[in-house]
Amino acid sequence: KGSILYKVMRMTKRMISFLVALALTVCVISSFAEGTVNMSAYRTYLETGEYPSLCDQWQDEFKIGVALSSFQLAGAKFAGIVAKNFSSITCENEMKADSILDQTASVRAGDPLHAKLHFYGADKVLDFASKNGIQVRAHTLVWHSQTPRWFFAEGYSTKSDAALVDRETMIARMENYIKDEMEHFNTKYPGVIYAWDVVNEAIDPGNCDENGYRKESLWYQVVGPDYIELAFTFARKYAAPGQKLFYNDYSTTDMAKKVYIVKLLRNLKAKGVIDGMGMQTHISVTSPSAMDIMTAIRDYTDTGVTVHITEMDISSEDPTPYGQMLLATRYRSVMNTLKFVKEKSGCDVESVTVWGLLDSQTWLTNSSRTCYPLLFDSKMNPKPAFFGMLLDDSIPKTGKDEDIQKAIDELGLESKEEKFRNFDDSISEENEVVVDEVE
Ligand code: XIL
């Protein structure tokens, strides 16, 4: 004690503890800043074929959802991927009016105020969801599209020139429709649905009234502009306790549209009939900017509602490793933006849904273009975009050419066996069978 040697030893010990503490702090801070939990899940996947669960990785922040159809769940591999990676499901079509309204039964029953419904497809999806402990976003009750004209016509007539009913009849039809649908699902599958898209795409700055309301909607034309508020009022009346009611729309970062939507949200919020804003988020690799997304989320949550990203897909027509790595950087950046907005600005963003699972089944592909916008390829392999959603280290933070090329080189994507080289695969056998069955 007191000797120089002792002092030197004590100093060295303190230095070592200090350095260890410093190293630990740097690690913790950098892992926060990075926002990643998994170091390189993509590299591991390329080596082993194993990859982590998307919804488990995000469980502290968001529900992670996928839009799908019952025929897809008939494939075991497809169903397995959904069960493992998603904590929310949306029916891509089977909860829309054209799937649920039963024209023959309505005519037969002959009640002008009360159309008949059936739930074949949706029930299969809800069965799957409840068996697998997954919750459902119900999409959608009142929409100008995918709602047959006969629902608005006298005698439920399918004639293209059949007379339309009066306002009071249509309001009764609306209430009964909302009541029957909500009661059906909430009785048969209690606790499964956590959110309802009550009104979809009612604002259209391109052809609107002074409130921004879309004039090209039979709801607007037959009921009048208050159809939106009426729909929310009925939905509130029949919803199960705790279910959240949403207004849902596309191009929600556009300035003109946003002004109208915010006004609508404030109005519905003041009446206590809305809980959330659904931002569809059908976007491109370059636009809207992260800043526009953040501003829109803040503008919507400022009205006192929560935000769900309801239908995200990012259009890409480039199936090469370059195009798909670029897409992955964009998914990464969007998820990072959402995480940032939630953690740092305290904006309430609850769930993020992607609009489809497999590229081969995306609604964005049509006769004039083929798109590769989703997280899984047609052979059901996770794409770079999947790892972008995970904020995986192997996906660059920017879409700069050199960063993309570097990531492709480091992962060896150009030289990997066929399945990794090009994401433009033909439809997998399993899905071919399922699609055939449906047709
Ligand atoms: C799309 C489906 O993905 C397609 O299968 C269908 O043919 C048309 O509708 N906004 C919405 C969704 O609210 O319901 C739409 O879904 C995509 C745009």
Side-chain angles (χ1 to χ4, degrees):
K1 257 192 185 174
S3 73
I4 293 185
L5 187 63
Y6 177 77
K7 277 183 188 157
V8 169
M9 272 173 65
R10 207 171 54 180
M11 284 260 292
T12 315
K13 238 169 118 185
R14 277 191 191 153
M15 279 280 273
I16 289 171
S17 332
F18 173 74
L19 285 174
V20 168
L22 187 71
L24 275 175
T25 315
V26 169
C27 277
V28 170
I29 289 177
S30 65
S31 78
F32 268 123
E34 275 286 294
T36 67
V37 233
N38 44 308
M39 289 312 282
S40 181
Y42 197 9
R43 206 160 293 139
T44 307
Y45 165 68
L46 291 174
E47 280 157 19
T48 66
E50 302 290 324
Y51 58 93
S53 151
L54 187 57
C55 62
D56 285 359
Q57 294 288 322
W58 281 108
Q59 66 182 345
D60 294 338
E61 307 263 357
F62 313 112
K63 275 191 167 61
I64 301 290
V66 62
L68 49 76
S69 298
S70 56
F71 79 86
Q72 294 168 318
L73 288 173
K77 188 168 177 192
F78 187 104
I81 293 175
V82 173
K84 175 181 165 186
N85 292 286
F86 297 94
S87 46
S88 172
I89 286 176
T90 304
C91 288
E92 184 169 352
N93 289 298
E94 287 157 303
M95 283 178 99
K96 293 174 181 174
D98 61 357
S99 294
I100 282 187
L101 281 164
D102 186 336
Q103 198 263 345
T104 314
S106 301
V107 171
R108 200 178 307 130
D111 183 343
L113 306 182
H114 203 148
K116 290 281 180 188
L117 313 182
H118 56 56
F119 303 96
Y120 311 131
D123 273 3
K124 286 188 197 147
V125 175
L126 275 273
D127 273 337
F128 174 86
S130 64
K131 278 186 195 125
N132 288 281
I134 303 176
Q135 287 201 293
V136 168
R137 284 197 92 260
H139 172 82
T140 178
L141 293 169
V142 170
W143 188 21
H144 67 281
S145 178
Q146 293 187 268
T147 306
R149 187 183 187 280
W150 66 257
F151 187 41
F152 301 88
E154 296 276 8
Y156 306 116
S157 167
T158 50
K159 289 204 183 107
S160 60
D161 59 351
L164 299 177
V165 297
D166 59 30
R167 167 180 158 85
E168 294 313 318
T169 303
M170 203 58 223
I171 291 175
R173 284 186 186 182
M174 179 200 266
E175 175 164 8
N176 283 322
Y177 177 83
I178 291 176
K179 174 175 185 285
D180 287 358
E181 180 168 342
M182 284 187 148
E183 284 180 357
H184 168 80
F185 290 117
N186 291 336
T187 309
K188 195 163 177 190
Y189 306 99
V192 173
I193 293 176
Y194 69 106
W196 290 89
D197 285 337
V198 177
V199 176
N200 197 29
E201 302 179 353
I203 285 173
D204 173 19
N207 178 16
C208 63
D209 68 7
E210 69 280 9
N211 289 311
Y213 295 175
R214 177 190 297 274
K215 287 190 193 160
E216 234 174 45
S217 162
L218 283 176
W219 286 112
Y220 183 92
Q221 291 164 23
V222 176
V223 175
D226 61 345
Y227 83 91
I228 302 176
E229 193 183 319
L230 283 164
F232 274 95
T233 309
F234 295 140
R236 184 63 102 209
K237 185 167 164 192
Y238 299 109
Q243 288 181 333
K244 294 193 178 173
L245 307 182
F246 279 71
Y247 174 70
N248 189 52
D249 213 332
Y250 61 89
S251 299
T252 50
T253 54
D254 285 5
M255 191 53 92
K257 201 155 181 181
K258 207 168 62 171
V259 170
Y260 288 129
I261 295 177
V262 164
K263 193 169 156 205
L264 175 65
L265 296 180
R266 282 196 202 290
N267 183 15
L268 295 169
K269 182 72 187 167
K271 301 195 160 108
V273 290
I274 195 169
D275 308 295
M277 172 63 202
M279 296 172 66
Q280 290 185 7
T281 319
H282 298 291
I283 59 176
S284 84
V285 170
T286 48
S287 113
S289 67
M291 185 55 87
D292 285 347
I293 295 173
M294 275 197 263
T295 313
I297 293 174
R298 197 207 49 213
D299 290 347
Y300 295 133
T301 52
D302 271 358
T303 70
V305 302
T306 178
V307 159
H308 287 183
I309 303 299
T310 53
E311 305 182 12
M312 176 157 67
D313 49 22
I314 302 174
S315 52
S316 163
E317 292 174 46
D318 183 353
T320 65
Y322 180 88
Q324 290 299 308
M325 190 54 79
L326 181 65
L327 181 72
T329 66
R330 174 70 158 155
Y331 270 102
R332 180 183 173 127
S333 139
V334 171
M335 289 312 287
N336 213 28
T337 302
L338 298 175
K339 183 176 153 70
F340 181 87
V341 124
K342 182 163 185 169
E343 286 177 0
K344 303 282 190 279
S345 312
C347 294
D348 190 16
V349 182
E350 260 181 1
S351 87
V352 183
T353 292
V354 286
W355 203 244
L357 186 74
L358 309 181
D359 277 349
S360 48
Q361 295 174 332
T362 172
W363 78 299
L364 294 174
T365 289
N366 53 41
S367 53
S368 52
R369 65 173 189 163
T370 307
C371 284
Y372 308 90
L374 297 171
L375 307 185
F376 286 79
D377 65 25
S378 56
K379 290 189 172 149
M380 306 198 208
N381 296 313
K383 293 165 45 188
F386 176 89
F387 298 93
M389 277 282 277
L390 285 174
L391 307 185
D392 191 66
D393 270 0
S394 55
I395 307 300
K397 289 177 187 158
T398 77
K400 278 193 213 134
D401 269 2
E402 60 266 32
D403 291 348
I404 303 261
Q405 201 48 58
K406 194 166 156 241
I408 291 173
D409 293 345
E410 276 175 14
L411 292 162
L413 285 188
E414 301 280 13
S415 58
K416 288 277 170 201
E417 52 185 299
E418 177 66 14
K419 66 177 173 175
F420 298 122
R421 204 177 316 131
N422 196 313
F423 299 90
D424 179 11
D425 302 318
S426 56
I427 296 210
S428 73
E429 262 171 44
E430 179 172 3
N431 267 289
E432 228 161 26
V433 172
V434 175
V435 172
D436 282 344
E437 271 169 14
V438 167
E439 283 165 2

